[in-house]
Amino acid sequence: MPRSHRPLPPGGVALSALFGASGLLHLLRPRVFEGIIPTPLRRHRRLLVLGSGVAELACAAGMVHPATRAPAGLASAGLLVAVFPANVQMSLTLGRRAARRRTVRSWTGFAVSLARLPVQVPLIRAALGVGGR
């Protein structure tokens, strides 16, 4: 069976669902994400948040259809790389907040944000797998 006709693997289903949920959240609650836009890009934070939400939804939809699965998988990997600086910015911001507040909750948030950074690697690998790489 040609690769383009194979069903989306379970990892691809999860990745598509993750992109879909995140994309919707970016569009419905953009303020949640505006604070993690890296400082040099903050002037355009709303546009960047909304644009990344649209891109995530497009990637999610593209991974579902066999004809667009390969380019959507590659675009998803690229998007994950592109948003990585925002994830780093989130960790920096939460680390500063934790140092100021010194509460268990703030330190926990910081720890979770740090633990989330290396998770990008398997997500990128899964996206590349969906893309046929």
Side-chain angles (χ1 to χ4, degrees):
M1 177 182 311
R3 185 174 189 87
S4 64
H5 296 312
R6 292 182 189 158
L8 188 60
V13 171
L15 188 63
S16 179
L18 178 69
F19 268 73
S22 180
L24 282 175
L25 193 55
H26 277 73
L27 297 178
L28 297 174
R29 304 283 311 269
R31 292 183 99 193
V32 171
F33 300 94
E34 288 178 4
I36 67 170
I37 299 296
T39 305
L41 303 173
R42 290 237 168 114
R43 181 174 176 200
H44 305 290
R45 63 182 170 261
R46 177 61 58 107
L47 180 63
L48 290 167
V49 170
L50 295 175
S52 65
V54 169
E56 287 176 326
L57 289 173
C59 287
M63 284 187 267
V64 173
H65 194 279
T68 56
R69 186 168 296 148
L74 296 176
S76 298
L79 185 57
L80 287 165
V81 170
V83 301
F84 188 74
N87 294 329
V88 171
Q89 181 66 53
M90 179 174 57
S91 291
L92 292 170
T93 301
L94 290 173
R96 288 184 197 116
R97 184 179 300 155
R100 249 187 353 264
R101 293 184 180 171
R102 297 183 180 163
T103 64
V104 170
R105 183 176 180 178
S106 62
W107 285 114
T108 301
F110 174 54
V112 168
S113 74
L114 285 177
R116 189 173 165 241
L117 293 175
V119 172
Q120 295 292 107
V121 173
L123 289 175
I124 291 167
R125 283 189 177 151
L128 290 172
V130 169
R133 302 272 185 227

